[in-house]
Amino acid sequence: MNPLFSLTPTERGPIVNVREQESNIPLTISIETTGLSSLVEIGQQVARGQRIAADNYGTQAALHSSVSGTVLDVKTNFILIKTEGDRIADLLEFSTADSRTMLDNLRNAGINVQHLKQGCTLIINAVPPESGIDGHRFLIEEFNSIMIEGLTYLKDALTPIACTIAIPKGMNWTLAGCTVHEINPVYPEGLNAMVVKAVTGKEMPPEVSVIDAATLYRIGRTIHGKQPVSDIMVKVGATLFQAPVGTQVGLLARLAGFTVSQHDRVILGGPLSGEAVYTLRHGISPSTQAITVLSSGSEPTIKDSPCVGCGECVIKCPARIMPNMISRHSEFGLFENTLAYNIASCFECGLCTYWCPAQRPVLQYIRLAKKELSKQPILEDLRK
Amino acid sequence: MKPITGSPVLTVSSPSHIHCGRTIKNSALETIFALTPAILFAIWHYHMQAVRVLALSGFIAVITETVCLYIMKRKVEANNFTTLLCGLMFGFLIPPAAPWWLVTVGSAFSIIIGRMVFGGLGASPLCAPLVGWAVITVSWPDLMNFDMTMLASELTYPLSQLKNFGPEILNEYSIKNLILGNQLGGTGAAQAGAIIIGGIYMLGRKIIRPDIPFAFIAGVAITASLFHVIDPLKYAPIQYHLLCGSTLFGAFFLLTDTSSSPVGHIPMIAYGLTAGIMVILIRVYGMYPDGVPFAILLANLMTPLFDKIRPAPFGGVTNIHLQR
């Protein structure tokens, strides 16, 4: 089998702590704040764990400084902080009054709770999303008690009817209070939609909440320390790093032994579904699990060429839709038509783009159509 | 150019950031490579006549496409070799002794009517080489008649013999001779053995999926054996239907043309079977001795219908706002 699609976790190597490695030079972190409003100004001194950006509408998770330092710059989408001093913010309060408050507390502590629903089936997804993104192996094996603490809090907040941890086949990971479900370790089986199908037997059921193992650890760590999590596990190449949130990708790539030169690509996440960054000064977000560095080849992977109708994408699509027709309509702005080809079933695995012999950016066309369609007002009755 | 920040200029792309490596260009080159045994066999049988037809049809196809693209003010894309492949496949279908102007007209029509009027590569609803073939077959039936054009050759065209004299005459042809290409037919299409080698190569390299060729061959075999079982004196046995005419060339190269064939396993099998059944019906009841090209054109027209056969989408979500 193609090793690119293997989700079996690799052997655990040593962990490189970025703070210790770079202790002699002040670290500069950059935290992406897209969609949030900044709570700090240039020159302001911030403490480790201080809230620096929050959502005015109360849906997205807040962001916190992972270091004690001085704000260097506040841009539209970024806040740059230079390490200085050793201040630590006040401890957070976690009430156990009611579900709403508990989730709000989590959101203020930097955890995304948008997809968590009351009375659902809770699934902990511990399958690597892509080959090699297995930093959570260390967390499950070494910090099981922290994760159980997080799970207990979540159970109190959500009162789920059942709780399951999905693990790749061959691993002996367990979590107290959870049934274990083994997943065939082949991409895209580790994506949330496929894991939900494997566990519940239903496709995209409404009464399910999925949370990945790294996020569960962050919840546990937040509850345990009463502080927002500042350090996360990031896999760069074959090296596992413990890095503060906002560490610049350039630093991590250098520590992992990569030399990034002109026109290379640096990707937050894996090569099949990750997000490319445009500068090495881009910082990692709290939910980043891996960084992939791809050297530039002679040929571009994506071209502006027409669809030749070979049907590779249709046969490879795990959502059983027609990416070829969706991309053809989306290419010419006929976004309404894509609904007839079940665009809403797509869970963005990226396999269509990987296999397309015409090298079309199929997934990008699908995303464009989805974005344009979701902008439109809801006219029909959705309860049908 | 170095940016001020000191970071190298990174390439930003959309996922997936990696690619399987199979491109239109190398698929076309592999297909041309798979055609090479048949080209060599054709040269062995017909010498310079075969070279002349294949080279001319390939050359005219590339020139025609380039002129069309120039008129359409689009980038010339002869470097992906799909047009050369299209021209070669057209040359495979016509008699080796076809006059030069017939080759030119046919090859140009394949590209203009078969491909460019629909918008070029990938947009054609019909298999392009067959469009040119159909135009010249209908316009100059005498010149496209293998027996008439190839009077100088000692070989005969088994399918017209079958039509005129009945199935007993086919006993003159041994299977070995048919496989070696000792029969009249399209320049390359009649080289049955070499076409099989090319087809196996394409299947092995996964350029084509097995669904369409196998369904087509099954369709031909089942229908032919049904007729043969009903009346062995009136209808030919299966092996002749498979090895004569352009059945195998159609199965591996024409029917699997990407833009005119359906997508998905079940539509592909239905499409192959339909074309296969149609071949025998045309050979038995039609006026043309070889039914393959018209059967494939008819199956091409049904492709949009076959594409309607779809499995239920994942989760059955119909509205984007409901996606979770």
Side-chain angles (χ1 to χ4, degrees):
Chain A
M1 194 190 60
N2 191 339
L4 196 67
F5 296 131
S6 164
L7 300 182
T8 309
T10 46
E11 288 302 309
R12 269 167 50 189
I15 293 168
V16 181
N17 188 325
V18 174
R19 280 184 213 269
E20 287 167 11
Q21 288 278 319
E22 299 288 304
S23 53
N24 44 355
I25 359 165
L27 206 62
T28 305
I29 62 164
S30 80
I31 292 178
E32 190 183 351
T33 58
T34 309
L36 305 175
S37 48
S38 165
L39 304 176
V40 290
E41 290 159 359
I42 298 178
Q44 188 181 330
Q45 296 205 320
V46 292
R48 179 168 168 176
Q50 182 180 336
R51 205 151 64 113
I52 55 169
D55 185 6
N56 294 338
Y57 307 103
T59 49
Q60 289 190 55
L63 285 168
H64 304 79
S65 172
S66 58
V67 293
S68 146
T70 320
V71 178
L72 280 184
D73 204 352
V74 180
K75 296 209 158 88
T76 327
N77 291 329
F78 284 96
I79 295 175
L80 287 174
I81 298 168
K82 188 174 190 181
T83 319
E84 168 269 309
D86 208 8
R87 296 176 295 278
I88 292 181
D90 302 335
L91 295 185
L92 295 168
E93 291 284 320
F94 285 98
S95 96
T96 45
D98 64 309
S99 156
R100 181 74 191 270
T101 330
M102 288 170 91
L103 289 180
D104 270 350
N105 284 345
L106 274 185
R107 191 168 53 75
N108 278 326
I111 310 287
N112 186 357
V113 292
Q114 276 182 63
H115 299 287
L116 300 181
K117 301 177 202 101
Q118 276 288 327
C120 60
T121 307
L122 183 64
I123 298 176
I124 319 292
N125 182 2
V127 186
E130 276 188 53
S131 178
I133 307 188
D134 47 13
H136 57 272
R137 174 175 191 162
F138 173 76
L139 301 176
I140 291 175
E141 291 176 355
E142 300 294 324
F143 291 104
N144 211 289
S145 59
I146 299 280
M147 293 181 94
I148 290 168
E149 208 166 323
L151 184 66
T152 315
Y153 188 84
L154 261 190
K155 276 184 171 174
D156 286 347
L158 299 175
T159 51
I161 49 171
C163 190
T164 304
I165 181 167
I167 61 162
K169 196 170 274 175
M171 293 292 126
N172 55 359
W173 302 342
T174 50
L175 202 58
C178 275
T179 51
V180 174
H181 196 286
E182 290 194 338
I183 303 282
N184 180 25
V186 179
Y187 190 81
E189 304 291 329
L191 297 181
N192 285 352
M194 298 297 279
V195 165
V196 169
K197 189 194 172 187
V199 172
T200 64
K202 294 183 202 144
E203 293 173 345
M204 295 192 178
E207 67 286 352
V208 169
S209 299
V210 191
I211 193 160
D212 61 47
T215 310
L216 184 66
Y217 169 78
R218 274 170 52 217
I219 296 174
R221 184 53 82 186
T222 313
I223 306 296
H224 185 78
K226 304 235 179 292
Q227 265 186 337
V229 176
S230 56
D231 283 20
I232 53 168
M233 292 289 165
V234 186
K235 194 93 189 267
V236 188
T239 326
L240 185 59
F241 285 96
Q242 182 187 344
V245 173
T247 307
Q248 300 184 347
V249 293
L251 172 65
L252 288 171
R254 181 165 57 78
L255 288 178
F258 289 102
T259 327
V260 183
S261 49
Q262 297 281 355
H263 309 305
D264 285 358
R265 278 174 294 172
V266 178
I267 294 146
L268 297 182
L272 283 159
S273 55
E275 175 206 354
V277 300
Y278 60 90
T279 166
L280 287 181
R281 310 213 317 159
H282 200 293
I284 54 176
S285 77
S287 54
T288 304
Q289 292 194 45
I291 292 169
T292 309
V293 182
L294 294 176
S295 60
S296 58
S298 52
E299 285 268 304
T301 49
I302 280 170
K303 286 179 179 169
D304 178 26
S305 57
C307 173
V308 293
C310 63
E312 270 310 298
C313 53
V314 179
I315 286 172
K316 295 278 169 35
C317 180
R320 304 188 300 272
I321 57 172
M322 295 181 82
N324 61 338
M325 294 311 288
I326 295 174
S327 77
R328 283 179 179 196
H329 285 284
S330 172
E331 190 177 3
F332 296 104
L334 306 168
F335 303 115
E336 286 285 327
N337 297 3
T338 61
L339 287 172
Y341 295 100
N342 305 100
I343 186 172
S345 289
C346 173
F347 47 83
E348 311 194 354
C349 64
L351 284 176
C352 44
T353 319
Y354 177 78
W355 290 109
C356 180
Q359 296 163 286
R360 286 161 64 78
V362 185
L363 178 55
Q364 188 67 11
Y365 282 132
I366 294 178
R367 285 182 168 177
L368 172 67
K370 275 186 176 178
K371 184 158 181 282
E372 292 295 322
L373 286 170
S374 59
K375 269 193 214 159
Q376 293 173 358
I378 306 173
L379 294 175
E380 57 187 299
D381 187 354
L382 295 183
R383 287 164 298 178
K384 274 188 287 194
Chain B
M1 189 187 76
K2 267 279 191 205
I4 314 151
T5 54
S7 159
V9 179
L10 299 180
T11 304
V12 179
S13 58
S14 59
S16 119
H17 303 278
I18 45 173
H19 192 258
C20 64
R22 171 135 292 159
T23 60
I24 300 177
K25 182 178 168 177
N26 64 29
S27 297
L29 282 174
E30 298 247 26
T31 312
I32 292 174
F33 184 69
L35 290 176
T36 336
I39 295 176
L40 295 178
F41 265 63
I43 294 172
W44 173 47
H45 285 297
Y46 307 114
H47 314 294
M48 283 315 284
Q49 278 187 326
V51 178
R52 187 190 62 110
V53 164
L54 293 177
L56 185 62
S57 66
F59 174 75
I60 293 293
V62 174
I63 292 293
T64 313
E65 195 214 35
T66 307
V67 171
C68 286
L69 287 174
Y70 181 77
I71 294 168
M72 291 156 89
K73 297 194 176 67
R74 276 169 51 179
K75 215 173 109 221
V76 174
E77 50 183 27
N79 61 352
N80 63 21
F81 297 99
T82 50
T83 331
L84 178 65
L85 175 64
C86 176
L88 277 179
M89 295 215 280
F90 170 76
F92 263 50
L93 288 167
I94 55 175
W100 66 268
W101 57 267
L102 190 70
V103 182
T104 309
V105 169
S107 187
F109 266 109
S110 293
I111 297 299
I112 299 171
I113 304 218
R115 191 153 142 179
M116 299 316 289
V117 288
F118 297 108
L121 176 65
S124 162
L126 297 168
C127 179
L130 290 177
V131 175
W133 178 89
V135 168
I136 59 169
T137 305
V138 174
S139 311
W140 294 281
D142 294 346
L143 289 173
M144 286 299 283
N145 184 325
F146 295 110
D147 291 314
M148 291 245 250
T149 321
M150 299 293 294
L151 281 176
S153 171
E154 289 170 2
L155 303 172
T156 48
Y157 184 39
L159 288 176
S160 69
Q161 302 274 319
L162 167 69
K163 198 144 212 78
N164 297 330
F165 306 108
E168 295 102 272
I169 195 126
L170 288 174
N171 296 333
E172 286 176 19
Y173 301 90
S174 71
I175 300 289
K176 186 187 158 207
N177 272 336
L178 289 177
I179 284 180
L180 284 176
N182 289 322
Q183 54 167 328
L184 280 191
T187 308
Q191 321 302 330
I195 295 287
I196 292 175
I197 295 172
I200 291 171
Y201 176 78
M202 298 255 284
L203 287 173
R205 296 280 298 150
K206 294 186 178 165
I207 315 259
I208 53 173
R209 288 186 171 273
D211 309 43
I212 294 179
F214 288 163
F216 177 72
I217 290 170
V220 171
I222 291 167
T223 323
S225 58
L226 271 182
F227 276 107
H228 186 66
V229 165
I230 291 169
D231 190 350
L233 292 177
K234 210 172 155 199
Y235 303 111
I238 323 170
Q239 64 267 33
Y240 297 108
H241 280 300
L242 289 177
L243 294 174
C244 302
S246 33
T247 313
L248 291 169
F249 181 58
F252 291 114
F253 295 93
L254 297 174
L255 210 57
T256 54
D257 173 55
T258 55
S259 67
S260 57
S261 62
V263 292
H265 290 292
I266 295 170
M268 279 178 177
I269 291 167
Y271 165 82
L273 279 176
T274 312
I277 293 167
M278 216 109 73
V279 168
I280 301 299
L281 292 182
I282 295 176
R283 282 185 183 176
V284 171
Y285 299 112
M287 61 175 278
Y288 291 97
D290 186 6
V292 174
F294 282 120
I296 294 177
L297 283 174
L298 286 171
N300 283 166
L301 292 176
M302 290 165 72
T303 295
L305 282 180
F306 292 129
D307 270 340
K308 295 267 175 209
I309 310 171
R310 295 291 312 146
F314 193 89
V317 191
T318 52
N319 196 295
I320 199 82
H321 294 287
L322 279 182
Q323 210 193 22
R324 290 165 288 264

